[in-house]
Amino acid sequence: MSHLLSVVVATPAHAGLGAALTYEHPEVLAPGTLVRVPLGKREVLGVVWDGAPLDTGADLATRPITEVFTPLAPLPASWRQLVGFAGRYYQRSLGEVALAALPPQLRELNGVQLARRLKRQPGPATAHTPPPVPALSPEQTEVMARLHTARQPVLLFGSTGSGKTEVYLRSVQQLLESDPQAQALIMVPEINLTPQLEERFGERFGADGVVAMHSGMTPPQRLASWLAAHSGAARIVLGTRMAVLASLPHLRLIVVDEEHDPSYKSQEGARYSARDLAVYLAKQVNDSHPTPDGEASHCRVLLGSATPSLESWHASETGRYVRLAMPSRIGGGCLPRLRLVDMNHQPRKTLLAQPLLDAITERIGRGEQSLLLLNRRGYAPVLACHDCGWKSECAHCSAHRVFHKIDRTLRCHHCGFTERVPRACPACGNLDIAPLGRGTEQIEEHIIERLAGVLRPDGQPAQVARMDADSTRLKGSLEQHLARMHSGEVDVLVGTQMVAKGHDFRRITLVASVNADAALFASDCRAPERLFALLMQAAGRAGRDASLGAGSEMWVQTGYPQHPLFAALRQHDYPAFAAQELKDREAAAMPPFAFQALVRAEARSQETAQGFLNEAAALATELPGADQVTVFPAVPMTIQRVANVERAQMLLESPTRMALQRFLAAWQPVLLDTRQGPAGKGLIRWAIDVDPLNL
């Protein structure tokens, strides 16, 4: 006798095949079982899903399941509920989210190959002797006590250097000691933060039970980590946003470090927020694991930041989250003093003001380190001819190609188009073409020139290094840069925002933001929040050693020293900044007091992209929830052309999340029909971005 089963496969929503397909098998398989099934002429990986299968009809033969991955336990109910929610909320098909959450290599294996992989998995963890554990500060002790009893999501508002990581370590330690099967998920926003976190957790708990999950790993590494997590062998999983979709059957603690960071929001595929999914996942784990007396086996979620997102701060103000504070630095160290350099009083084209250079020189003489922050890689954002006005525009994008002096190339950071720097202006032949603006390569070159002859206490010349996406591209280069900083080999580090958060550089006593003004007057309502967070996080790299804290400084070069943002920054007063920003957001009916979605369209012409969006909007006026949703006209995106593809977007706003979700769910079929109609001719793709961060 054959049984009909619902199986989820990787089919996009526009395929019109439904959430799950129906297959048959001689046995009833548990929901969450991994199988291989025929799909068209291919054989693909699928997941047996909950619920009754769809009736295929008497005239349509049901195809059989080809293979069952019996060595693997079914994916847990909490994982299936998380994937289902992510698909519904972020307006993607169930199969897209479910299969994208699995390791790429798993989707390619058959049962025999998987069995071989499972044999390679490491055996039981070896005995580990942890190092001496540091004593907790009074603030850490109070947080640990309150964290243990909290039933809501906890927002840990701790200043930079206050010991948030030790709270994470102690929370994991308490969990593992109290439950022999429990697992913990520790998330960080960027790959470059995982090496030092992996080292600290491995040192405390032993490397055997700790695995990493991020996109920088090879497919075999990702599969091995996923299998260890799914089997329960890995009790601690460290990862970036993708780790929230890992299968952790015994999950009891989720930590989202630097929870404010926009990197937690995916910009492709389902465009999910890993932070928000973490909060949802904890709730589902609690609902899925009742104890005999009916109470949930509690899974705690801890969101940590020195500059929480305004959404999380607002949630803690309204009682949805519990807010715990650690305002003091470990060892009683001081937060760095703010020094504003008014660039209106500096000579034109000054890269680094002389007082800043003097302060850096002093620190080199004392054996201390400095950090220069500029969030633009390359040598200069554009190369230009002053005779005819030619600029190094990309032929395929509505953007300029960045001048990289180190290899004499003009490189588009959007489509990757690269050419050698021309010997003369391509338009008029002028030999005098020059860079405009500044990038990390130029700052590195400039500081090396200005520090020529400056000696360290050991009599050696000062050393300068650059750390950005270009200098850390090769495997192992990131770890080399971090090791040089920690050893004291580097005196001045020039870098982008990747060096401004999470790193524990003990010798840095000066941090300088070279050019922060661009974000002060940006059109995006989140720009001030991001700038304040970046500067606060950058300042937090200085004075982390309590013995050096008193002399630590944060320098900011600006043309607007009287801007209110700097007044709050001077006092390290995030609550005051957040209160004013929330007041402005509420007056403007912006998130978190309203809810937004973007519909983006890409086509060969801007008219086609905008026409598709406007046509779909015109057909949506009578949909459920339409009376509570404002649909704005389609407009070009900020960078409207990338790789010869024109891009447009349409903003939707609603005062309630439920009304927006109801409208989007009803609008999906309209968008699909419009895609097939005349308005969709020439359209390449479209996508919905719920809770967008970039407008």
Side-chain angles (χ1 to χ4, degrees), residues 103 121-122 183 198 210-214 217-234 236-238 246-248:
Q121 289 297 102
Q183 293 175 296
E198 196 170 357
V210 180
V211 299
M213 282 191 184
H214 55 75
M217 301 168 68
T218 65
Q221 289 173 331
R222 286 176 62 177
L223 177 60
S225 292
W226 187 90
L227 290 172
H230 178 63
S231 67
I236 302 171
V237 174
L238 311 175
S247 172
L248 293 155

PDB file of all heavy atoms in Angstrom, residues 103 121-122 183 198 210-214 217-234 236-238 246-248:
ATOM      1  N   PRO A 103      22.423  23.020   3.796  1.00  0.00           N
ATOM      2  CA  PRO A 103      23.746  23.197   3.184  1.00  0.00           C
ATOM      3  C   PRO A 103      23.705  22.885   1.688  1.00  0.00           C
ATOM      4  O   PRO A 103      23.058  21.903   1.278  1.00  0.00           O
ATOM      5  CB  PRO A 103      24.630  22.189   3.924  1.00  0.00           C
ATOM      6  CG  PRO A 103      23.905  21.882   5.180  1.00  0.00           C
ATOM      7  CD  PRO A 103      22.452  22.025   4.881  1.00  0.00           C
ATOM      8  N   GLN A 121      32.175  12.167  10.401  1.00  0.00           N
ATOM      9  CA  GLN A 121      31.921  13.086  11.498  1.00  0.00           C
ATOM     10  C   GLN A 121      32.781  12.723  12.701  1.00  0.00           C
ATOM     11  O   GLN A 121      32.981  11.542  12.994  1.00  0.00           O
ATOM     12  CB  GLN A 121      30.438  13.062  11.892  1.00  0.00           C
ATOM     13  CG  GLN A 121      29.511  13.717  10.872  1.00  0.00           C
ATOM     14  CD  GLN A 121      29.794  15.184  10.712  1.00  0.00           C
ATOM     15  OE1 GLN A 121      30.429  15.596   9.735  1.00  0.00           O
ATOM     16  NE2 GLN A 121      29.367  15.986  11.657  1.00  0.00           N
ATOM     17  N   PRO A 122      33.291  13.720  13.423  1.00  0.00           N
ATOM     18  CA  PRO A 122      34.162  13.444  14.574  1.00  0.00           C
ATOM     19  C   PRO A 122      33.435  12.671  15.660  1.00  0.00           C
ATOM     20  O   PRO A 122      32.209  12.732  15.788  1.00  0.00           O
ATOM     21  CB  PRO A 122      34.558  14.847  15.054  1.00  0.00           C
ATOM     22  CG  PRO A 122      33.523  15.761  14.487  1.00  0.00           C
ATOM     23  CD  PRO A 122      33.088  15.154  13.200  1.00  0.00           C
ATOM     24  N   GLN A 183      21.594  23.011  23.437  1.00  0.00           N
ATOM     25  CA  GLN A 183      22.439  23.672  22.441  1.00  0.00           C
ATOM     26  C   GLN A 183      22.243  25.186  22.528  1.00  0.00           C
ATOM     27  O   GLN A 183      21.170  25.675  22.894  1.00  0.00           O
ATOM     28  CB  GLN A 183      22.079  23.191  21.035  1.00  0.00           C
ATOM     29  CG  GLN A 183      22.398  21.730  20.769  1.00  0.00           C
ATOM     30  CD  GLN A 183      21.908  21.296  19.404  1.00  0.00           C
ATOM     31  OE1 GLN A 183      20.703  21.286  19.135  1.00  0.00           O
ATOM     32  NE2 GLN A 183      22.835  20.938  18.518  1.00  0.00           N
ATOM     33  N   GLU A 198      35.182  32.378  18.035  1.00  0.00           N
ATOM     34  CA  GLU A 198      35.406  30.937  18.017  1.00  0.00           C
ATOM     35  C   GLU A 198      36.571  30.568  18.938  1.00  0.00           C
ATOM     36  O   GLU A 198      36.530  29.551  19.649  1.00  0.00           O
ATOM     37  CB  GLU A 198      35.685  30.479  16.580  1.00  0.00           C
ATOM     38  CG  GLU A 198      35.552  28.998  16.358  1.00  0.00           C
ATOM     39  CD  GLU A 198      35.611  28.630  14.883  1.00  0.00           C
ATOM     40  OE1 GLU A 198      35.704  29.534  14.026  1.00  0.00           O
ATOM     41  OE2 GLU A 198      35.567  27.425  14.591  1.00  0.00           O
ATOM     42  N   VAL A 210      32.149  22.973  19.514  1.00  0.00           N
ATOM     43  CA  VAL A 210      31.869  24.300  18.957  1.00  0.00           C
ATOM     44  C   VAL A 210      32.061  24.256  17.447  1.00  0.00           C
ATOM     45  O   VAL A 210      33.105  23.808  16.966  1.00  0.00           O
ATOM     46  CB  VAL A 210      32.809  25.371  19.562  1.00  0.00           C
ATOM     47  CG1 VAL A 210      32.503  26.737  18.986  1.00  0.00           C
ATOM     48  CG2 VAL A 210      32.688  25.383  21.087  1.00  0.00           C
ATOM     49  N   VAL A 211      31.055  24.693  16.692  1.00  0.00           N
ATOM     50  CA  VAL A 211      31.188  24.758  15.240  1.00  0.00           C
ATOM     51  C   VAL A 211      30.793  26.145  14.760  1.00  0.00           C
ATOM     52  O   VAL A 211      30.027  26.855  15.420  1.00  0.00           O
ATOM     53  CB  VAL A 211      30.323  23.699  14.517  1.00  0.00           C
ATOM     54  CG1 VAL A 211      30.735  22.299  14.911  1.00  0.00           C
ATOM     55  CG2 VAL A 211      28.834  23.927  14.780  1.00  0.00           C
ATOM     56  N   ALA A 212      31.322  26.520  13.606  1.00  0.00           N
ATOM     57  CA  ALA A 212      30.996  27.806  12.983  1.00  0.00           C
ATOM     58  C   ALA A 212      30.114  27.573  11.772  1.00  0.00           C
ATOM     59  O   ALA A 212      30.165  26.510  11.136  1.00  0.00           O
ATOM     60  CB  ALA A 212      32.281  28.533  12.581  1.00  0.00           C
ATOM     61  N   MET A 213      29.310  28.574  11.440  1.00  0.00           N
ATOM     62  CA  MET A 213      28.471  28.533  10.244  1.00  0.00           C
ATOM     63  C   MET A 213      28.449  29.912   9.618  1.00  0.00           C
ATOM     64  O   MET A 213      27.907  30.855  10.209  1.00  0.00           O
ATOM     65  CB  MET A 213      27.030  28.124  10.594  1.00  0.00           C
ATOM     66  CG  MET A 213      26.810  26.667  10.825  1.00  0.00           C
ATOM     67  SD  MET A 213      25.034  26.307  10.917  1.00  0.00           S
ATOM     68  CE  MET A 213      25.087  24.560  11.325  1.00  0.00           C
ATOM     69  N   HIS A 214      29.058  30.027   8.441  1.00  0.00           N
ATOM     70  CA  HIS A 214      28.989  31.280   7.695  1.00  0.00           C
ATOM     71  C   HIS A 214      29.331  31.012   6.236  1.00  0.00           C
ATOM     72  O   HIS A 214      29.834  29.940   5.877  1.00  0.00           O
ATOM     73  CB  HIS A 214      29.920  32.339   8.297  1.00  0.00           C
ATOM     74  CG  HIS A 214      31.359  31.909   8.427  1.00  0.00           C
ATOM     75  ND1 HIS A 214      32.212  31.835   7.345  1.00  0.00           N
ATOM     76  CD2 HIS A 214      32.082  31.526   9.506  1.00  0.00           C
ATOM     77  CE1 HIS A 214      33.400  31.436   7.748  1.00  0.00           C
ATOM     78  NE2 HIS A 214      33.351  31.235   9.058  1.00  0.00           N
ATOM     79  N   MET A 217      32.823  29.660   4.578  1.00  0.00           N
ATOM     80  CA  MET A 217      33.299  28.281   4.695  1.00  0.00           C
ATOM     81  C   MET A 217      33.107  27.542   3.381  1.00  0.00           C
ATOM     82  O   MET A 217      32.240  27.893   2.574  1.00  0.00           O
ATOM     83  CB  MET A 217      32.534  27.565   5.817  1.00  0.00           C
ATOM     84  CG  MET A 217      32.690  28.230   7.177  1.00  0.00           C
ATOM     85  SD  MET A 217      31.514  27.605   8.422  1.00  0.00           S
ATOM     86  CE  MET A 217      32.122  25.940   8.635  1.00  0.00           C
ATOM     87  N   THR A 218      33.897  26.513   3.154  1.00  0.00           N
ATOM     88  CA  THR A 218      33.746  25.684   1.957  1.00  0.00           C
ATOM     89  C   THR A 218      32.481  24.831   2.101  1.00  0.00           C
ATOM     90  O   THR A 218      32.008  24.582   3.221  1.00  0.00           O
ATOM     91  CB  THR A 218      34.960  24.760   1.769  1.00  0.00           C
ATOM     92  OG1 THR A 218      35.008  23.834   2.872  1.00  0.00           O
ATOM     93  CG2 THR A 218      36.263  25.571   1.712  1.00  0.00           C
ATOM     94  N   PRO A 219      31.907  24.347   0.983  1.00  0.00           N
ATOM     95  CA  PRO A 219      30.713  23.487   1.086  1.00  0.00           C
ATOM     96  C   PRO A 219      30.890  22.286   2.007  1.00  0.00           C
ATOM     97  O   PRO A 219      29.994  21.998   2.812  1.00  0.00           O
ATOM     98  CB  PRO A 219      30.460  23.077  -0.370  1.00  0.00           C
ATOM     99  CG  PRO A 219      30.976  24.229  -1.171  1.00  0.00           C
ATOM    100  CD  PRO A 219      32.194  24.708  -0.424  1.00  0.00           C
ATOM    101  N   PRO A 220      32.032  21.546   1.955  1.00  0.00           N
ATOM    102  CA  PRO A 220      32.194  20.437   2.907  1.00  0.00           C
ATOM    103  C   PRO A 220      32.213  20.900   4.367  1.00  0.00           C
ATOM    104  O   PRO A 220      31.678  20.217   5.247  1.00  0.00           O
ATOM    105  CB  PRO A 220      33.533  19.804   2.502  1.00  0.00           C
ATOM    106  CG  PRO A 220      33.710  20.178   1.065  1.00  0.00           C
ATOM    107  CD  PRO A 220      33.128  21.546   0.948  1.00  0.00           C
ATOM    108  N   GLN A 221      32.830  22.057   4.628  1.00  0.00           N
ATOM    109  CA  GLN A 221      32.866  22.575   5.995  1.00  0.00           C
ATOM    110  C   GLN A 221      31.459  22.936   6.481  1.00  0.00           C
ATOM    111  O   GLN A 221      31.080  22.634   7.616  1.00  0.00           O
ATOM    112  CB  GLN A 221      33.773  23.804   6.075  1.00  0.00           C
ATOM    113  CG  GLN A 221      35.254  23.505   5.941  1.00  0.00           C
ATOM    114  CD  GLN A 221      36.092  24.776   5.852  1.00  0.00           C
ATOM    115  OE1 GLN A 221      35.636  25.824   5.376  1.00  0.00           O
ATOM    116  NE2 GLN A 221      37.332  24.694   6.312  1.00  0.00           N
ATOM    117  N   ARG A 222      30.692  23.573   5.608  1.00  0.00           N
ATOM    118  CA  ARG A 222      29.336  23.953   5.985  1.00  0.00           C
ATOM    119  C   ARG A 222      28.480  22.717   6.257  1.00  0.00           C
ATOM    120  O   ARG A 222      27.679  22.696   7.203  1.00  0.00           O
ATOM    121  CB  ARG A 222      28.699  24.820   4.896  1.00  0.00           C
ATOM    122  CG  ARG A 222      29.239  26.240   4.862  1.00  0.00           C
ATOM    123  CD  ARG A 222      28.660  27.054   3.718  1.00  0.00           C
ATOM    124  NE  ARG A 222      27.225  27.211   3.808  1.00  0.00           N
ATOM    125  CZ  ARG A 222      26.515  27.935   2.937  1.00  0.00           C
ATOM    126  NH1 ARG A 222      27.131  28.549   1.941  1.00  0.00           N
ATOM    127  NH2 ARG A 222      25.208  28.045   3.075  1.00  0.00           N
ATOM    128  N   LEU A 223      28.643  21.683   5.425  1.00  0.00           N
ATOM    129  CA  LEU A 223      27.874  20.458   5.632  1.00  0.00           C
ATOM    130  C   LEU A 223      28.264  19.794   6.950  1.00  0.00           C
ATOM    131  O   LEU A 223      27.390  19.344   7.715  1.00  0.00           O
ATOM    132  CB  LEU A 223      28.095  19.491   4.470  1.00  0.00           C
ATOM    133  CG  LEU A 223      27.400  18.127   4.594  1.00  0.00           C
ATOM    134  CD1 LEU A 223      25.893  18.293   4.699  1.00  0.00           C
ATOM    135  CD2 LEU A 223      27.762  17.221   3.419  1.00  0.00           C
ATOM    136  N   ALA A 224      29.566  19.730   7.230  1.00  0.00           N
ATOM    137  CA  ALA A 224      30.022  19.100   8.472  1.00  0.00           C
ATOM    138  C   ALA A 224      29.467  19.838   9.690  1.00  0.00           C
ATOM    139  O   ALA A 224      29.021  19.212  10.667  1.00  0.00           O
ATOM    140  CB  ALA A 224      31.550  19.067   8.511  1.00  0.00           C
ATOM    141  N   SER A 225      29.474  21.174   9.657  1.00  0.00           N
ATOM    142  CA  SER A 225      28.938  21.960  10.776  1.00  0.00           C
ATOM    143  C   SER A 225      27.441  21.743  10.926  1.00  0.00           C
ATOM    144  O   SER A 225      26.925  21.593  12.040  1.00  0.00           O
ATOM    145  CB  SER A 225      29.241  23.448  10.570  1.00  0.00           C
ATOM    146  OG  SER A 225      30.620  23.705  10.681  1.00  0.00           O
ATOM    147  N   TRP A 226      26.729  21.712   9.796  1.00  0.00           N
ATOM    148  CA  TRP A 226      25.287  21.528   9.847  1.00  0.00           C
ATOM    149  C   TRP A 226      24.936  20.155  10.414  1.00  0.00           C
ATOM    150  O   TRP A 226      24.038  20.018  11.253  1.00  0.00           O
ATOM    151  CB  TRP A 226      24.689  21.690   8.451  1.00  0.00           C
ATOM    152  CG  TRP A 226      23.186  21.672   8.443  1.00  0.00           C
ATOM    153  CD1 TRP A 226      22.349  22.739   8.571  1.00  0.00           C
ATOM    154  CD2 TRP A 226      22.340  20.516   8.305  1.00  0.00           C
ATOM    155  NE1 TRP A 226      21.040  22.325   8.534  1.00  0.00           N
ATOM    156  CE2 TRP A 226      21.002  20.968   8.371  1.00  0.00           C
ATOM    157  CE3 TRP A 226      22.590  19.156   8.141  1.00  0.00           C
ATOM    158  CZ2 TRP A 226      19.920  20.094   8.270  1.00  0.00           C
ATOM    159  CZ3 TRP A 226      21.513  18.280   8.054  1.00  0.00           C
ATOM    160  CH2 TRP A 226      20.195  18.754   8.110  1.00  0.00           C
ATOM    161  N   LEU A 227      25.651  19.122   9.976  1.00  0.00           N
ATOM    162  CA  LEU A 227      25.395  17.774  10.475  1.00  0.00           C
ATOM    163  C   LEU A 227      25.675  17.676  11.978  1.00  0.00           C
ATOM    164  O   LEU A 227      24.928  17.034  12.719  1.00  0.00           O
ATOM    165  CB  LEU A 227      26.246  16.753   9.715  1.00  0.00           C
ATOM    166  CG  LEU A 227      25.868  16.505   8.250  1.00  0.00           C
ATOM    167  CD1 LEU A 227      26.912  15.627   7.571  1.00  0.00           C
ATOM    168  CD2 LEU A 227      24.478  15.879   8.139  1.00  0.00           C
ATOM    169  N   ALA A 228      26.744  18.345  12.420  1.00  0.00           N
ATOM    170  CA  ALA A 228      27.070  18.325  13.848  1.00  0.00           C
ATOM    171  C   ALA A 228      25.985  19.024  14.664  1.00  0.00           C
ATOM    172  O   ALA A 228      25.619  18.573  15.757  1.00  0.00           O
ATOM    173  CB  ALA A 228      28.424  18.983  14.084  1.00  0.00           C
ATOM    174  N   ALA A 229      25.456  20.122  14.132  1.00  0.00           N
ATOM    175  CA  ALA A 229      24.387  20.838  14.827  1.00  0.00           C
ATOM    176  C   ALA A 229      23.098  20.025  14.829  1.00  0.00           C
ATOM    177  O   ALA A 229      22.415  19.896  15.851  1.00  0.00           O
ATOM    178  CB  ALA A 229      24.160  22.193  14.169  1.00  0.00           C
ATOM    179  N   HIS A 230      22.754  19.454  13.674  1.00  0.00           N
ATOM    180  CA  HIS A 230      21.503  18.705  13.541  1.00  0.00           C
ATOM    181  C   HIS A 230      21.505  17.445  14.409  1.00  0.00           C
ATOM    182  O   HIS A 230      20.471  17.060  14.973  1.00  0.00           O
ATOM    183  CB  HIS A 230      21.288  18.328  12.077  1.00  0.00           C
ATOM    184  CG  HIS A 230      20.056  17.505  11.828  1.00  0.00           C
ATOM    185  ND1 HIS A 230      18.789  17.972  12.071  1.00  0.00           N
ATOM    186  CD2 HIS A 230      19.911  16.228  11.382  1.00  0.00           C
ATOM    187  CE1 HIS A 230      17.905  17.031  11.777  1.00  0.00           C
ATOM    188  NE2 HIS A 230      18.563  15.962  11.364  1.00  0.00           N
ATOM    189  N   SER A 231      22.644  16.811  14.542  1.00  0.00           N
ATOM    190  CA  SER A 231      22.731  15.588  15.346  1.00  0.00           C
ATOM    191  C   SER A 231      22.820  15.881  16.839  1.00  0.00           C
ATOM    192  O   SER A 231      22.655  14.971  17.662  1.00  0.00           O
ATOM    193  CB  SER A 231      23.955  14.773  14.925  1.00  0.00           C
ATOM    194  OG  SER A 231      25.154  15.463  15.266  1.00  0.00           O
ATOM    195  N   GLY A 232      23.106  17.140  17.195  1.00  0.00           N
ATOM    196  CA  GLY A 232      23.285  17.496  18.595  1.00  0.00           C
ATOM    197  C   GLY A 232      24.705  17.364  19.080  1.00  0.00           C
ATOM    198  O   GLY A 232      25.004  17.689  20.237  1.00  0.00           O
ATOM    199  N   ALA A 233      25.627  16.878  18.216  1.00  0.00           N
ATOM    200  CA  ALA A 233      27.031  16.738  18.619  1.00  0.00           C
ATOM    201  C   ALA A 233      27.656  18.093  18.904  1.00  0.00           C
ATOM    202  O   ALA A 233      28.496  18.226  19.804  1.00  0.00           O
ATOM    203  CB  ALA A 233      27.816  16.010  17.524  1.00  0.00           C
ATOM    204  N   ALA A 234      27.273  19.110  18.117  1.00  0.00           N
ATOM    205  CA  ALA A 234      27.749  20.478  18.361  1.00  0.00           C
ATOM    206  C   ALA A 234      26.782  21.144  19.331  1.00  0.00           C
ATOM    207  O   ALA A 234      25.618  21.367  19.003  1.00  0.00           O
ATOM    208  CB  ALA A 234      27.826  21.259  17.059  1.00  0.00           C
ATOM    209  N   ILE A 236      27.431  24.124  20.728  1.00  0.00           N
ATOM    210  CA  ILE A 236      27.525  25.575  20.552  1.00  0.00           C
ATOM    211  C   ILE A 236      27.742  25.855  19.070  1.00  0.00           C
ATOM    212  O   ILE A 236      28.687  25.336  18.468  1.00  0.00           O
ATOM    213  CB  ILE A 236      28.695  26.169  21.365  1.00  0.00           C
ATOM    214  CG1 ILE A 236      28.536  25.835  22.855  1.00  0.00           C
ATOM    215  CG2 ILE A 236      28.776  27.675  21.168  1.00  0.00           C
ATOM    216  CD1 ILE A 236      29.750  26.199  23.690  1.00  0.00           C
ATOM    217  N   VAL A 237      26.881  26.659  18.482  1.00  0.00           N
ATOM    218  CA  VAL A 237      26.992  27.041  17.080  1.00  0.00           C
ATOM    219  C   VAL A 237      27.234  28.540  17.016  1.00  0.00           C
ATOM    220  O   VAL A 237      26.450  29.332  17.556  1.00  0.00           O
ATOM    221  CB  VAL A 237      25.722  26.673  16.284  1.00  0.00           C
ATOM    222  CG1 VAL A 237      25.809  27.206  14.857  1.00  0.00           C
ATOM    223  CG2 VAL A 237      25.515  25.164  16.273  1.00  0.00           C
ATOM    224  N   LEU A 238      28.334  28.935  16.387  1.00  0.00           N
ATOM    225  CA  LEU A 238      28.660  30.346  16.175  1.00  0.00           C
ATOM    226  C   LEU A 238      28.473  30.646  14.700  1.00  0.00           C
ATOM    227  O   LEU A 238      28.994  29.922  13.856  1.00  0.00           O
ATOM    228  CB  LEU A 238      30.111  30.634  16.577  1.00  0.00           C
ATOM    229  CG  LEU A 238      30.582  30.135  17.948  1.00  0.00           C
ATOM    230  CD1 LEU A 238      32.069  30.410  18.116  1.00  0.00           C
ATOM    231  CD2 LEU A 238      29.799  30.823  19.051  1.00  0.00           C
ATOM    232  N   ALA A 246      19.651  27.137  10.862  1.00  0.00           N
ATOM    233  CA  ALA A 246      20.236  25.804  11.075  1.00  0.00           C
ATOM    234  C   ALA A 246      19.270  24.945  11.885  1.00  0.00           C
ATOM    235  O   ALA A 246      18.411  25.454  12.610  1.00  0.00           O
ATOM    236  CB  ALA A 246      21.575  25.919  11.796  1.00  0.00           C
ATOM    237  N   SER A 247      19.420  23.636  11.760  1.00  0.00           N
ATOM    238  CA  SER A 247      18.600  22.702  12.524  1.00  0.00           C
ATOM    239  C   SER A 247      19.288  22.403  13.853  1.00  0.00           C
ATOM    240  O   SER A 247      20.339  21.772  13.884  1.00  0.00           O
ATOM    241  CB  SER A 247      18.406  21.399  11.735  1.00  0.00           C
ATOM    242  OG  SER A 247      17.776  20.420  12.540  1.00  0.00           O
ATOM    243  N   LEU A 248      18.683  22.890  14.937  1.00  0.00           N
ATOM    244  CA  LEU A 248      19.228  22.696  16.282  1.00  0.00           C
ATOM    245  C   LEU A 248      18.123  22.080  17.141  1.00  0.00           C
ATOM    246  O   LEU A 248      17.317  22.797  17.740  1.00  0.00           O
ATOM    247  CB  LEU A 248      19.686  24.037  16.870  1.00  0.00           C
ATOM    248  CG  LEU A 248      20.895  24.672  16.165  1.00  0.00           C
ATOM    249  CD1 LEU A 248      20.908  26.170  16.353  1.00  0.00           C
ATOM    250  CD2 LEU A 248      22.180  24.062  16.695  1.00  0.00           C
TER     251      LEU A 248
END
